[in-house]
Amino acid sequence: METQAQQTKGDANQNLKLAIAMGILKYKRLQKPNDGDPQPPCNNASESDAIVWKRKAKERKAEILRLKEDLRLAEDGIQYDAFPQSVSCKCYFFDNFGELSPKLSNDGSESNQRRFNDVLRRRFLRQVRLSERKRRRLGGLTDRSCISDYASENELEQLRASVDFLVELCETVSPLRVEEDNFKNWSHLGIDFILDTLKALSSMGMEELAVESIVSSLVTRLMRRMCNAPQDESHHSPNNVQFYVQHLMRKLGSKAYVGQRMILSVSQRISMIAESLLFMDPFDDAFPKMHNCMYIMIQLIEFLVSDNLLTWSKSEAFDLKLLEEWLTSLCHARKALELSESRNTLYILYMDRIFGDLSRQLGQVSFLQKLKPDILAKLFS
């Protein structure tokens, strides 16, 4: 029995030693594989596939991030800009800025229309839509006139949105930042787009009440901005916002439908300010501002008459009744300014220059005899 127990104990020790030896050998092989030992092909293939898929995942992640950045730039409206952000408009649009130019062509000729290509149109529309979405997110409500369900509805919506965009652009710019934020580029595109949309509406039979409401709102808001724009130290500084807004109104007035209504609104405003100046203390702080507003409005009328009256008169859609209306309003404005002549004779000199230009240009048109005799008497007196 004792001998058998000793033999069993010896076998167990042998098995234990053998197991320990095999474990140590296996551990050493795993820790430091010999160069001559064959490598397991399965493990190498798995490791190679893992590296490939990791690289693909990193590339896909980088691509997704790049696409997200492209989307953000596109939504900001700057990915496909035709002009660099720091460069102002150098085209024909700001030629004759602040200068009287009777030969200035503003009739929407084909050469000017070719400049307004499809790329710029899409660029401006994208910017307008972004502005509209931002306004809706902020909870602002836009005025929506009742319009009939015709093909012109889409054009009217585009006209309304572009008018809002242009006015907001003028309201956000300051005298020190006229050259920044693409003000010149966006304002140029805005004016061209508005005139182009009005032309399209005219060709399809525009809805008079809806369009007139939009145009009247545009003229009123721009005129308010022109008169109330902040000024820098120099009145005639090239960065004066008033002159830029005046130039935009001058360009809009190249279309008779807008220009005649613009003269009517501005002349009525002149009459109101002239009456206010009669009862205002010249030493009042608001007096210089009103004087400046008066000057820039009279100058705007002179620009509109000098640039466009002959071109308007050649149009088949020229409104003679509207012509008589704004001529009458202009005569009332002149009479109102005569009452303040003792304070400032420059107003009358400017108005006389306008009436002289009116007489010369209307004398060249064939419908002069169709005007009311009392208007002709005031005009040529």
Side-chain angles (χ1 to χ4, degrees), residues 6 16 28 142 198 209 242 249 260 268 275 281 290 342 348:
Q6 290 178 351
L16 179 60
K28 287 183 177 181
T142 54
L198 286 172
L209 292 178
Q242 287 185 313
M249 297 181 74
Q260 292 204 94
Q268 290 173 347
E275 293 177 1
D281 184 355
M290 295 182 70
S342 59
I348 299 301

Side-chain angles (χ1 to χ4, degrees), residues 182-199:
N182 274 346
F183 171 75
K184 286 186 174 181
N185 299 330
W186 289 127
S187 59
H188 176 187
L189 293 173
I191 297 297
D192 279 356
F193 186 84
I194 290 172
L195 294 179
D196 195 57
T197 305
L198 286 172
K199 184 178 180 181

Side-chain angles (χ1 to χ4, degrees), residues 311-324:
T311 305
W312 293 345
S313 62
K314 296 174 184 177
S315 174
E316 296 180 357
F318 185 63
D319 193 341
L320 278 177
K321 291 184 177 179
L322 188 57
L323 171 66
E324 291 180 341

Side-chain angles (χ1 to χ4, degrees), residues 83-94:
F83 301 99
Q85 294 295 303
S86 59
V87 178
S88 60
C89 187
K90 300 296 183 184
C91 63
Y92 70 95
F93 188 76
F94 284 94

